Every structure is written in structure tokens, then in C-alpha cells.
């Protein structure tokens, strides 16, 4: 089956209503989120029934789509609760359900007939036979296993019907276990990773101890002879959107439902511009995003980057377990009047601080405010109170939701 280039979907993670606003405003075509049960990110705020209904309406009003994760590996007690929940999601108009279990899939077909079925990466789809079988069972989309190379994905695309959509992760944290199926958290902390409660023990620092030398722990580090045991690089494929689309991936999934509104905004904006640039190039296989788009990925909190398995077996395990945080959000723009930006402070900043401006849909730029004012229009020497109102002289309006950020020293 021949694959023709299509415009890839930018799919953003949403952990609460604030992050939903930023994903929609900054360019996502679709969002994925979870209710208070059955999703793989229990640590997020997530959405109760009322906020789920609001989220569907808000997403549809913006002309976008909303997918609800129901991708835990359900136990018997979970199965008994799913029919009523699926009926609710069907009634509020969720566009798709993301599932990882065949029994769940059958229940979804019965109780949520108007919702498309997306098979989660937790299912571990690594070949076209499985993708075709799931399609025959009613799946509209499969979220491919993260362990596939681009060539393997291309083979799946060439051997599946064009109406079966292929989604793949393109950015964010990577689990060291196969397609996220891991029980280390269960063993060490009694928190079930496959019910969304992972304590991320793969990010911890470990020593090994030889039985006869218990007082001589040895560290596990990466050098020319070996590797740090579990810890994986974050994925960053924004420089390779042409290769991803050329292999047949129809939805670019960004990881990060537990991450901040700022992360959601920056990644959505950057991948939106990258995809639009690829389309504007005439779907050129040689397309590379502009340098400023690539640089945006260094302005969010992240671990050292890699490209996962897309170009073959990765050297993806690293010594560093922490995050690189080069930028902070100073304030968020609420409006503009009489030459003054009205903003809400997010982190302390001062007059004379160069501010990097990220406006929805626009290329970032920098300006340096020489004066700051409080609500009484008194000049202040620092914006040092959380969520205080700060007024900043500026020559033109900026869209509400524009982010003002600064580079940390």
C-alpha cells in the first residue's frame, strides 16, 4: 500500500484546564488528557466529570480534537467501572478513547460507539500484522511502540490500510521499560506503574554492592566501558519532522501531561511551526526547521536529548538524572492599554532583565523593560510577589497568554 505525505497532527499533553488553554492557544491540533481514573498519569491534577465536559466543549469550540486516556492495564475491579465511564465520555462527545487492553476495547465499542478507538503505546504494536488485526477489531489509530525505528514504521505504513492512523511519540521523557510496561515501581514502592502511579525509580541513583564487601558500594556510571543502569535521555525529534512524516506517522505525540503549562505552550508552538514549515516546503524530505524553532527545545526543562530508537539502537542511558532548566517564566501577559502591558508575575524579575517573548503563533523576540509598575502605578524595583499584577511599558499589544521569560544565570 503506497503512502502519500499528509499533514501530521500536533498532539499535545494536557494535565489540567490551564494546560488545556495553552495547548489550544499555542497550536496543538489535538490534545490528550485523562479523567480521575483509568489514565497512566495519576500524579496529574487531571479532570473530573464536570471539567471533562468543559474541556470537550472548549476543545471543539477551538476546532480541535480531544482524546481521553483509558490506558491502564485494568484489573477486575476496574473493568466493572468502565461501562458507565465510557457511556459518559460518549455522551459528552470525546473524540477518541486511548486504550491498551482488548477487553477494554470491546467495552468501548459497546458503551462509547461514537468515540474513535486509539490503541495505546502500552499495547506494544511493533508490526503490521498486529496493526492490521487491531484495525479489523475497530481501531482507528495505533500508537506505535517507542522501540521502533523509522524503517520499521515505514514498513508498517506500507502494509496497512491508509485509513489506519499511525501515532508516535516525538518529544519528551522516555521510559526505560518496553513501551512503558514496568514493575520496578511496584517492587520498590508498592506503586503500580501500570495504573498511572509510577514513582520513577529508573531516575534514582543506584550503587551496587559485592556480597563480601558490603561497606564498599560502587556507583553505576556511564563511561567508555558501560552505562548508567536505567536512566534514559529525553526524546527530541523536532529536527526530523520530515523523516517522521515521510515514514508515515500521521500524529506527532508530545509526552508530558505531568509537566507545566510553559512546557505545553513551548512544545506546541515549536512543533506547530515545524510542521507548518514542512508543509510549506512542499513536503520536502530535506526540510529542516529554522534554528529558532530548534532552539525552543532548549528553553524548557529537560534531560539531555536523544532520538530514541528512530535511527537504530540508541546510546540513550546517561549518568545525569536531573533536569536542565535554562529559562524561567517571568510573567504572563493579560492585556495591553495605554502603552502598558498588564501581566501576572510567575517568577521574580527586575527592571533591566532581558525578556524573551513567546507570543502564540509567533516567532520569539527579546526586549528589555527599563521600568516596572505595580497596580497603584508606583514604580517598583522588582516583581517579587507571586502572581502580583505588573505593568510593563511596551509599544503595542501582545496576545493574552503571551509568555515573558528570562534566561537563568
Amino acid at each position: 500500500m503506497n503512502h502519500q505525505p499528509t499533514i501530521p497532527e500536533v498532539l499535545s499533553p494536557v494535565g489540567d484546564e490551564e494546560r488545556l488553554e495553552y495547548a489550544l492557544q499555542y497550536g496543538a491540533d489535538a490534545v490528550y488528557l485523562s479523567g480521575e481514573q483509568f489514565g497512566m498519569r495519576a500524579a496529574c491534577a487531571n479532570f473530573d466529570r464536570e471539567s471533562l465536559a468543559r474541556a470537550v466543549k472548549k476543545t471543539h469550540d477551538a476546532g480541535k480534537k480531544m482524546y481521553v486516556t483509558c490506558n491502564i492495564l485494568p484489573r477486575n475491579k476496574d473493568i466493572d467501572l468502565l461501562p458507565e465511564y465510557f457511556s459518559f465520555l460518549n455522551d459528552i462527545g470525546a473524540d477518541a478513547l486511548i486504550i491498551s487492553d482488548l477487553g477494554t476495547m470491546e467495552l468501548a465499542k459497546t458503551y462509547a460507539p461514537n468515540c474513535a478507538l486509539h490503541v495505546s503505546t502500552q499495547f506494544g504494536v511493533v508490526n503490521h500484522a498486529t496493526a492490521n488485526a487491531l484495525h479489523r477489531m475497530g481501531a482507528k489509530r495505533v500508537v506505535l511502540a517507542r522501540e521502533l525505528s523509522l524503517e520499521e514504521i515505514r514498513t508498517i505504513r506500507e502494509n496497512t490500510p491508509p485509513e489506519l492512523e499511525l501515532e508516535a511519540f516525538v518529544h519528551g521523557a522516555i521510559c526505560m521499560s518496553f513501551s512503558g510496561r514496568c514493575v520496578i515501581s511496584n517492587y520498590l514502592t508498592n506503586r503500580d506503574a501500570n495504573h498511572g502511579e509510577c514513582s520513577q525509580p529508573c531516575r534514582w541513583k543506584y550503587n551496587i554492592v559485592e556480597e563480601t564487601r558490603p561497606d564498599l558500594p560502587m556507583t553505576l556510571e556511564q563511561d567508555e566501558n558501560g552505562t548508567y543502569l536505567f536512566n534514559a535521555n529525553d526524546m527530541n525529534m523536532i529536527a526530523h519532522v520530515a523523516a517522521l512524516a515521510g515514514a508515515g506517522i500521521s500524529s506527532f505525540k508530545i509526552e508530558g501531561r505531568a509537566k507545566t503549562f510553559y512546557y505545553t505552550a513551548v512544545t506546541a508552538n515549536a512543533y506547530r511551526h515545524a510542521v507548518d514549515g514542512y508543509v510549506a516546503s512542499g513536503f520536502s524530505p530535506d526540510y529542516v526547521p529554522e534554528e529558532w524553532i530548534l532552539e525552543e527545545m532548549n528553553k524548557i526543562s529537560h534531560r539531555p536529548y536523544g532520538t530514541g530508537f528512530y535511527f537504530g539502537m540508541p546510546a540513550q542511558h546517561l549518568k545525569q538524572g536531573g533536569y536542565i532548566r535554562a529559562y524561567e517564566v517571568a510573567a504572563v501577559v493579560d492585556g495591553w492599554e495605554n502603552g502598558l502591558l498588564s501581566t501576572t508575575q510567575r517568577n521574580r524579575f527586575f527592571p533591566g532583565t532581558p525578556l524573551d517573548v513567546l507570543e502564540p503563533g509567533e516567532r520569539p523576540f527579546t526586549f528589555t523593560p527599563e521600568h516596572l509598575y505595580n497596580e497603584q502605578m508606583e514604580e517598583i524595583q522588582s516583581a517579587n510577589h507571586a502572581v502580583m499584577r505588573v505593568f510593563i511599558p511596551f509599544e503595542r499589544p501582545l496576545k493574552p497568554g503571551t509568555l515573558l521569560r528570562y534566561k537563568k544565570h
Side-chain angles (χ1 to χ4, degrees), residues 1-148:
M1 303 178 187
N2 294 325
H3 161 62
Q4 298 297 322
T6 58
I7 301 175
E9 172 186 81
V10 176
L11 178 56
S12 285
V14 168
D16 59 21
E17 291 190 79
E18 181 184 45
R19 280 168 273 190
L20 174 64
E21 293 273 4
Y22 280 91
L24 298 176
Q25 189 175 15
Y26 275 84
D29 295 305
V31 298
Y32 66 103
L33 50 80
S34 177
E36 294 178 310
Q37 297 173 289
F38 313 118
M40 287 294 292
R41 290 294 182 271
C44 303
N46 292 320
F47 292 75
D48 60 20
R49 297 292 180 98
E50 185 178 329
S51 58
L52 272 172
R54 285 198 302 270
V56 172
K57 184 179 187 308
K58 187 172 293 184
T59 303
H60 289 173
D61 286 348
K64 312 296 178 70
K65 294 182 178 181
M66 191 187 90
Y67 311 142
V68 181
T69 63
C70 307
N71 58 338
I72 63 168
L73 299 183
R75 305 294 179 90
N76 291 322
K77 62 182 176 62
D78 302 309
I79 289 293
D80 295 339
L81 300 174
L82 284 171
E84 186 274 334
Y85 183 57
F86 285 162
S87 294
F88 165 76
L89 294 176
N90 186 76
D91 291 344
I92 66 172
D95 292 286
L97 309 180
I98 304 172
I99 58 179
S100 59
D101 173 80
L102 293 179
T104 303
M105 187 174 185
E106 287 299 304
L107 289 171
K109 288 160 64 176
T110 300
Y111 293 99
N114 298 325
C115 300
L117 300 179
H118 294 182
V119 177
S120 171
T121 190
Q122 301 290 120
F123 196 94
V125 176
V126 294
N127 61 68
H128 57 80
T130 301
N132 281 320
L134 291 167
H135 181 55
R136 289 192 296 271
M137 293 173 66
K140 180 180 180 182
R141 176 183 296 189
V142 293
V143 188
L144 297 170
R146 305 185 200 200
E147 294 74 27
L148 291 173

Side-chain angles (χ1 to χ4, degrees), residues 113-318:
N114 298 325
C115 300
L117 300 179
H118 294 182
V119 177
S120 171
T121 190
Q122 301 290 120
F123 196 94
V125 176
V126 294
N127 61 68
H128 57 80
T130 301
N132 281 320
L134 291 167
H135 181 55
R136 289 192 296 271
M137 293 173 66
K140 180 180 180 182
R141 176 183 296 189
V142 293
V143 188
L144 297 170
R146 305 185 200 200
E147 294 74 27
L148 291 173
S149 69
L150 282 175
E151 285 308 309
E152 290 174 304
I153 293 171
R154 192 186 311 277
T155 299
I156 292 173
R157 179 72 286 170
E158 290 171 350
N159 290 276
T160 52
E163 58 268 23
L164 176 64
E165 299 169 355
L166 303 183
E167 177 181 307
F169 281 93
V170 300
H171 201 94
I174 298 297
C175 180
M176 52 74 62
S177 190
F178 183 82
S179 292
R181 293 201 176 200
C182 179
V183 293
I184 298 175
S185 179
N186 303 54
Y187 283 126
L188 296 184
T189 66
N190 199 32
R191 287 169 53 179
D192 190 345
N194 295 302
H195 268 65
E197 299 172 354
C198 184
S199 58
Q200 292 196 316
C202 56
R203 307 297 183 184
W204 300 351
K205 295 180 180 179
Y206 290 90
N207 293 324
I208 56 173
V209 177
E210 198 276 323
E211 182 178 4
T212 64
R213 299 174 178 84
D215 297 326
L216 292 174
M218 295 166 279
T219 60
L220 296 167
E221 298 180 352
Q222 178 176 315
D223 59 23
E224 66 275 8
N225 299 313
T227 183
Y228 198 77
L229 185 58
F230 297 130
N231 210 6
N233 288 321
D234 279 3
M235 182 184 290
N236 179 6
M237 288 293 290
I238 199 163
H240 308 287
V241 293
L244 294 166
I249 298 170
S250 49
S251 179
F252 291 175
K253 188 169 197 171
I254 301 166
E255 184 276 339
R257 281 192 287 134
K259 296 183 180 176
T260 66
F261 76 95
Y262 173 64
Y263 172 95
T264 300
V266 173
T267 52
N269 190 69
Y271 275 89
R272 170 81 280 135
H273 279 90
V275 168
D276 290 349
Y278 169 63
V279 174
S281 76
F283 302 96
S284 170
D286 300 319
Y287 167 75
V288 177
E290 295 179 65
E291 186 60 34
W292 74 263
I293 299 175
L294 305 180
E295 183 57 28
E296 282 294 290
M297 299 299 93
N298 294 319
K299 296 180 180 181
I300 54 176
S301 178
H302 64 93
R303 297 181 182 91
Y305 283 131
T307 55
F309 290 82
Y310 280 117
F311 300 106
M313 291 295 291
Q316 71 173 30
H317 299 96
L318 68 154

